[in-house]
Amino acid sequence: MASAAKRLEAVSGTAAPQISFDAVTLQLGGKTIIENLSLGVRPGEFLCIVGASGCGKTTALRLAAGLYQPTGGKVNFDGQPMREPRREIAIVFQDYGKALLPWRTAAGNVSLALEAGGTPSAERPARIEELLRTVGLPGHAGKYPSEMSGGMQQRLQIARCLAQEPKTLLMDEPFGALDAMTRQGLQDEVLSLVAASGATVIFVTHDLDEAIYLGDRVIGLLPHPGRIGIELKVNLPRPRDQLSTREHPEFLRLRRQLFDFIKATEQ
Amino acid sequence: MNRAVIIWRVASFLVAAGFIALWQLIANLKLVSPVFLPGPDRAWGALVRGFSSGDLWSKLAGTLEHMAYGWLAASIAGIAIGAIIGSSRTMRTYVAPSLEFLRPLPVSAIIPVAIAMLGLTQAMALFVIAFGAIWPIMLATIHGFAAVEPRLYEVARSLQMSRLAVIFKIALPSASPDILAGMRLSLTVALILSVVCEILAGLDGLGHWVLLSARAFRSADLFAGVILLGLTGYVTSVAMSLAEHRLLAWQAAQR
Ligand SMILES: Nc1ncnc2c1ncn2[C@@H]1O[C@H](COP(=O)(O)OP(=O)(O)OP(=O)(O)O)[C@@H](O)[C@H]1O
Ligand SMILES: [Mg+2]
């Protein structure tokens, strides 16, 4: 119930932002990648970011993770300036194959986050089992990542991120490399995981449908340099449903609007 | 074990048996004087005699000790130095060229230097063996540390892992296949240099035994020593392979 209240707050916009970009500019190698980006993400909000390839989505997410420091402006987390990455902010990378430790089993990979968070070793096995069950990998604890399919590896990465007990979950095209069926299944799983934990999410994707399906709000970035070009509030009922949500007139209207925007930026 | 493997094993065994038979034939026909070439029968006899009198045991133990100490010292120093150089880009750019200069230097060239500084002592042997054996390990470690997936460092940063945890949980395991391969190469180097040092400095070991036997024209004893050295090389390398196999079980899963 608490998370539902939080979500309502997030959507209605009364809460103070958990992550805020304040006129953020980032230059890399003498090139301005992000310019004057201002953005607030409220606690419990599910924000999706879309945009053409190379417009700075990943860069924006890395700024939110503290992996980059802005060259101008400020990134704040809970009102404090972000100086470095922190455990409360978990990041799910698109290239799950590179983000997992190949020499550790599924259980070992989840354990990495628990070890870093100081969970006593006696409590880890139970936590690991619970987390693997949560992401739909029960009974795979002893497998190495290389013995798992792409979808399973991405689930495993999500499990490790959940082990951080993050306040914010950053996801960079997490399902980009997966087939359509696996993708839809994981979309619903992420939605229910997030609903259960009340975490704030910033979700980067290429897929406009995915963005609308998942998000409370969708932001479209303009390229060269990256800045906000469109901002849409998604007033679709939750829990969402793969069939009825995607047929909802509001869904179709938003989809049309977003599609036109992306098309215009690509010219 | 499948059929192909069994056939290969049998074939390689037959080849070895064939060599021994040929050796016996040459010795029996006295194609080479028995003073220089004993047959496998006499070499075997010398082995049995050496072990039952205990002489060969102590020589073998001596060589194994030189080899082990030198190799362990090389491994510890090689991994530590390699880790420091490999994990920093600046270190790599500044130090790597000097390493490339030192590496092809034959170890035999530094033996006189070592003898001049340390005398004909165990310390000299340890230094020479370790110096020769450190290169494959150190270079492999540098390579392994430099090749750690950058994404994993980002994972470590977002988990706020300590420096020590990053080294032991990310960098070292990631570099372990390279490091173990380097350690295996060094094993052979350590054995060769143990023998060389024993011969040069008269240290107790198989090298010394081989030298003395040759001087006294005891060819059977000489061959017993050589056979034992070959076996030492073979057994240590098999043991190393087994250890690698166990430690890198995750890699087998990857293929
Ligand atoms: N380290 C860097 N140094 C210089 N330029 C960079 C660096 N990283 C990214 N860029 C440039 O910044 C721009 C935005 O990159 P970014 O990866 O954020 O785009 P993206 O929106 O995530 O693209 P995609 O959809 O292809 O993943 C690109 O033009 C890229 O070439
Ligand atoms: Mg990207």
Side-chain angles (χ1 to χ4, degrees), chain A residues 4 8 10 22 34 52 60 81 87 99 123 126-127 135 142 147 159 169 176 179 188 191 215 217 223-224 248 253 267:
Chain A
L8 192 72
D22 186 7
I34 299 272
R87 266 198 300 278
E123 292 168 25
R127 277 290 285 148
V135 298
E147 297 172 297
L169 196 56
D179 63 272
D188 290 333
L191 281 182
R217 191 159 49 123
H224 313 299
H248 201 286
R253 188 185 66 79
Q267 276 153 13

Side-chain angles (χ1 to χ4, degrees), chain A residues 28-29 31 33 51-60 68 94 172-173 206 224:
Chain A
L28 285 174
K31 219 173 82 182
I33 314 280
S53 194
C55 70
K57 303 183 294 295
T58 297
T59 309
Y68 283 152
Q94 175 176 3
D172 190 4
E173 302 193 40
H206 258 114
H224 313 299

Side-chain angles (χ1 to χ4, degrees), chain A residues 62 66-67 85-87 93 95 98-104 112-113 115-116 144 146 160 164, chain B residues 148-149 151-152 154-155 157-161 169-171 173-175 249-251 253-255:
Chain A
R62 292 172 68 87
L67 289 168
R86 45 207 293 170
R87 266 198 300 278
F93 294 100
D95 42 4
K98 290 182 179 170
L100 295 168
L101 309 183
W103 55 88
R104 284 196 183 208
L112 185 77
E115 291 159 28
Y144 288 104
S146 55
R160 184 179 65 201
Q164 287 176 245
Chain B
V148 176
E149 171 58 50
R151 184 68 83 228
L152 292 181
E154 290 178 357
V155 169
R157 279 177 70 196
S158 82
L159 286 172
Q160 294 183 290
M161 285 166 64
K169 293 181 181 173
I170 307 244
S174 166
W250 56 273
Q251 273 204 322
Q254 216 160 17
R255 279 182 222 117

Side-chain angles (χ1 to χ4, degrees), chain B residues 23 34-57 59-60 205-230:
Chain B
W23 174 14
V35 179
F36 302 118
L37 183 76
D41 49 348
R42 282 176 55 213
W44 175 253
L47 262 180
V48 173
R49 223 177 321 116
F51 275 120
S52 47
S53 73
D55 282 356
L56 268 182
W57 278 122
K59 303 292 170 189
L60 178 61
L206 287 172
H208 193 50
W209 164 280
V210 166
L211 180 72
L212 291 186
S213 306
R215 281 193 184 147
F217 294 102
R218 286 179 317 201
S219 62
D221 284 345
L222 169 64
F223 270 68
V226 171
I227 290 170
L228 217 47
L229 281 171

Side-chain angles (χ1 to χ4, degrees), chain A residues 11-29:
Chain A
V11 176
S12 57
T14 51
Q18 182 168 88
I19 293 186
S20 62
F21 281 50
D22 186 7
V24 168
T25 295
L26 180 74
Q27 282 157 338
L28 285 174

Side-chain angles (χ1 to χ4, degrees), chain B:
Chain B
M1 215 185 281
N2 60 37
R3 275 177 70 134
V5 173
I6 295 175
I7 291 173
W8 275 111
R9 288 267 159 91
V10 171
S12 59
F13 182 78
L14 286 179
V15 169
F19 271 121
I20 294 176
L22 186 68
W23 174 14
Q24 185 76 61
L25 190 73
I26 292 173
N28 287 352
L29 294 175
K30 300 218 164 64
L31 291 178
V32 181
S33 157
V35 179
F36 302 118
L37 183 76
D41 49 348
R42 282 176 55 213
W44 175 253
L47 262 180
V48 173
R49 223 177 321 116
F51 275 120
S52 47
S53 73
D55 282 356
L56 268 182
W57 278 122
S58 69
K59 303 292 170 189
L60 178 61
T63 298
L64 285 178
E65 194 180 308
H66 294 143
M67 186 179 167
Y69 283 148
W71 183 68
L72 284 177
S75 298
I76 293 167
I79 293 171
I81 301 171
I84 292 169
I85 299 173
S87 52
S88 140
R89 185 189 298 266
T90 12
M91 280 291 260
R92 284 206 301 278
T93 33
Y94 288 114
V95 180
S98 335
L99 292 184
E100 287 307 314
F101 171 77
L102 280 172
R103 185 177 58 101
L105 204 68
V107 190
S108 36
I110 71 121
I111 292 181
V113 181
I115 292 179
M117 286 184 337
L118 299 166
L120 294 172
T121 57
Q122 297 277 5
M124 181 279 293
L126 184 70
F127 174 79
V128 169
I129 298 166
F131 184 86
I134 201 173
W135 297 102
I137 301 176
M138 187 165 78
L139 294 172
T141 308
I142 292 174
H143 178 260
F145 267 72
V148 176
E149 171 58 50
R151 184 68 83 228
L152 292 181
Y153 285 136
E154 290 178 357
V155 169
R157 279 177 70 196
S158 82
L159 286 172
Q160 294 183 290
M161 285 166 64
S162 68
R163 263 190 85 97
L164 219 58
V166 173
I167 291 174
F168 283 99
K169 293 181 181 173
I170 307 244
L172 261 182
S174 166
S176 62
D178 287 308
I179 294 175
L180 288 169
M183 285 171 77
R184 192 224 294 255
L185 285 178
S186 291
L187 213 48
T188 320
V189 178
L191 177 61
I192 294 170
L193 290 175
S194 299
V195 173
V196 170
C197 288
E198 284 158 14
I199 290 179
L200 284 178
L203 303 174
D204 214 22
L206 287 172
H208 193 50
W209 164 280
V210 166
L211 180 72
L212 291 186
S213 306
R215 281 193 184 147
F217 294 102
R218 286 179 317 201
S219 62
D221 284 345
L222 169 64
F223 270 68
V226 171
I227 290 170
L228 217 47
L229 281 171
L231 277 176
T232 306
Y234 180 72
V235 170
T236 47
S237 135
V238 167
M240 188 68 206
S241 294
L242 288 178
E244 265 184 87
H245 204 77
R246 271 195 72 108
L247 288 170
L248 302 180
W250 56 273
Q251 273 204 322
Q254 216 160 17
R255 279 182 222 117

Side-chain angles (χ1 to χ4, degrees), chain A residues 86-262:
Chain A
R86 45 207 293 170
R87 266 198 300 278
E88 296 152 286
I89 305 177
I91 178 159
V92 178
F93 294 100
Q94 175 176 3
D95 42 4
Y96 41 79
K98 290 182 179 170
L100 295 168
L101 309 183
W103 55 88
R104 284 196 183 208
T105 58
N109 270 282
V110 176
S111 178
L112 185 77
L114 297 177
E115 291 159 28
T119 307
S121 56
E123 292 168 25
R124 278 180 224 149
R127 277 290 285 148
I128 292 168
E129 207 193 309
E130 183 192 328
L131 285 160
L132 288 177
R133 193 157 9 91
T134 312
V135 298
L137 290 175
H140 295 287
K143 283 200 177 142
Y144 288 104
S146 55
E147 297 172 297
M148 305 171 112
S149 69
M152 288 162 78
Q153 290 184 38
Q154 193 56 293
R155 287 196 164 107
L156 178 55
Q157 200 191 173
I158 293 171
R160 184 179 65 201
C161 286
L162 293 178
Q164 287 176 245
E165 295 183 355
K167 281 190 180 172
T168 296
L169 196 56
L170 306 174
M171 306 181 97
D172 190 4
E173 302 193 40
F175 312 140
L178 304 174
D179 63 272
M181 284 307 290
T182 312
R183 205 180 166 111
Q184 292 202 346
L186 279 171
Q187 286 168 357
D188 290 333
E189 278 172 39
V190 162
L191 281 182
S192 65
L193 287 176
V194 166
S197 73
T200 311
V201 182
I202 306 183
F203 190 107
V204 165
T205 176
H206 258 114
D207 182 341
L208 307 185
D209 290 26
E210 182 172 70
I212 302 165
Y213 181 74
L214 294 173
D216 293 317
R217 191 159 49 123
V218 179
I219 282 175
L221 292 187
L222 286 168
H224 313 299
R227 64 224 126 97
I228 296 179
I230 193 173
E231 186 173 340
L232 299 172
K233 223 169 162 62
V234 182
N235 285 316
L236 286 165
R238 288 186 188 270
R240 306 235 166 119
D241 175 86
Q242 290 289 352
L243 290 177
S244 62
T245 301
R246 287 175 192 268
E247 285 165 356
H248 201 286
E250 174 71 358
F251 184 95
L252 299 175
R253 188 185 66 79
L254 290 168
R255 186 171 183 273
R256 180 71 208 216
Q257 215 176 335
L258 212 50
F259 192 83
D260 287 343
F261 163 78
I262 294 291

